[in-house]
Structures are given as C-alpha cells and as structure tokens.
Amino acid sequence: LKGTVMAEAYARGEFEVLSKEAYLNLVTDLIEYLPERMAVHRLTGDGPKKLLIAPQWSAHKKDVLNSLMLLMEEKDTRQGRLYDGRV
C-alpha cells in the first residue's frame, strides 16, 4: 500500500510480488499441511484500492477466493490432506 515501508522497498526493487497463479499454487500446496480444525483467517488482503500498489490482482478478493476454491478442486486437495498430526 502507498505510504508504507513495504511500498518503499518495492519501489527500490528489493522484492517482487507473486503472480496470482503462483500465489494460488503456493496457498493450495501449504494449506494441505494445516490441520483441518485450524481456522485460516486471512488468505488475501483488503487494502483500499486507491492505496494499492501491487499486486493488482489482490484487489479482487472474491475472485481470488473463488479461484482458490476452483484450484483446490482441480488439484483434488483439501486442508489437512497432508497433515501428519505434529504441531
């Protein structure tokens, strides 16, 4: 978001943001390791669109969440699928 330390670091080229596809694949891979009983409170942000610098795809929260659900269905996966009981 504009006016943040992270925005300054992004402007200096200190990091790149993930594409929507890369982000969704990462989340679907990692969520398999979380226990089914664990609540996930935030999968995408809700920053004001007028302050958002990047990634622009994150401004469309419903699309991101719907895309995540579709990808999980395509991968035939679910939260906890690979959870081994260790915490």
Side-chain angles (χ1 to χ4, degrees), residues 4-76:
T4 64
V5 172
M6 187 174 248
E8 293 169 9
Y10 178 71
R12 290 190 299 267
E14 294 179 13
F15 68 93
E16 294 180 17
V17 295
L18 294 173
S19 68
K20 179 181 163 188
E21 293 74 22
Y23 172 78
L24 292 173
N25 277 298
L26 180 63
V27 170
T28 56
D29 289 347
L30 295 175
I31 206 166
E32 293 178 309
Y33 292 94
L34 298 178
E36 289 178 310
R37 69 183 181 280
M38 181 180 286
V40 179
H41 290 280
R42 184 165 302 240
L43 293 170
T44 185
D46 254 345
K49 290 180 184 180
K50 66 181 179 183
L51 297 179
L52 182 63
I53 296 170
Q56 289 298 311
W57 56 261
S58 70
H60 309 285
K61 184 176 182 176
K62 286 183 181 179
D63 177 63
V64 174
L65 295 174
N66 287 336
S67 296
L68 178 64
M69 295 296 285
L70 286 172
L71 183 59
M72 289 180 75
E73 287 178 15
E74 287 173 15
K75 288 183 166 185
D76 192 28

